[in-house]
Amino acid sequence: MTEELPITTSEWEVMRIIWTLGEATSNDVIQLLVKKRQWKASTVKTLIGRLMQKNMLTAQKNGHTNLYQCTVSEKHAMEKEATRLFKNMCAMKNGQVLVQLINELQLSQTDIQNLQSVLVEKQKTAPEMVACNCIPKEEVEQ
């Protein structure tokens, strides 16, 4: 699989609709985003075009319209985006950011139980301190 390009916040809106529906025409997406975001049809069509160029969507001809499907699963896209975000931050700050996210996000009882289980296991092999990855290690030691 080729490396997916990052998608914009607006493109995420389109993808989320198609993931939820499984497949959708541009009119399906337009109707939903006009209600949700008051976007113009041309804006939605531009976003669909960009997602096609990024190979995030495929189109299947259905009469006079295209039926769009996602080429990547929602889970994969979310994991890729989260990994990309955390790779751009100082490794020493990842824990602080995760704590902040957990405080802000609405989580189910099951989500919290799963997090607790993962953290208990992760703690068994966690280092005392995470090393900074902002500058080369040899520069820090000088």
Side-chain angles (χ1 to χ4, degrees):
M1 179 181 225
T2 59
E3 185 71 20
E4 294 100 18
L5 296 171
I7 59 176
T8 66
T9 302
S10 298
E11 291 167 346
W12 272 101
E13 291 283 344
V14 172
M15 293 295 288
R16 287 175 52 208
I17 287 171
I18 299 173
W19 280 317
T20 301
L21 296 176
E23 58 186 19
T25 65
S26 57
N27 284 336
D28 295 333
V29 178
I30 289 166
Q31 287 177 357
L32 291 167
L33 285 175
V34 163
K35 289 178 187 172
K36 186 175 179 182
R37 299 282 183 219
Q38 293 81 46
W39 289 348
K40 294 185 180 346
S42 59
T43 301
V44 176
K45 288 180 181 179
T46 297
L47 293 170
I48 289 172
R50 287 183 193 162
L51 289 164
M52 292 283 295
Q53 288 174 340
K54 292 179 180 183
N55 295 317
M56 299 294 289
L57 293 177
T58 58
Q60 184 179 357
K61 214 47 167 158
N62 186 11
H64 294 292
T65 62
N66 284 326
L67 196 57
Y68 297 97
Q69 296 100 15
C70 299
T71 60
V72 63
S73 73
E74 184 175 18
K75 182 180 186 299
H76 176 77
M78 290 187 315
E79 288 169 354
K80 201 91 162 137
E81 184 69 11
T83 299
R84 186 184 66 77
L85 174 67
F86 279 92
K87 280 185 177 180
N88 288 322
M89 288 189 275
C90 175
M92 294 174 67
K93 309 263 183 349
N94 286 345
Q96 295 168 18
V97 173
L98 284 171
V99 168
Q100 182 63 31
L101 284 172
I102 289 168
N103 280 326
E104 290 182 17
L105 296 174
Q106 183 177 21
L107 299 170
S108 70
Q109 297 271 332
T110 302
D111 291 335
I112 294 167
Q113 288 170 352
N114 290 338
L115 281 167
Q116 288 171 331
S117 295
V118 168
L119 289 172
V120 164
E121 284 304 308
K122 188 112 178 133
Q123 188 174 30
K124 292 176 183 177
T125 59
E128 279 292 318
M129 193 171 117
V130 174
C132 177
N133 62 342
C134 299
I135 54 178
K137 185 178 179 181
E138 51 276 2
E139 294 296 322
V140 175
E141 293 172 351
Q142 290 181 1

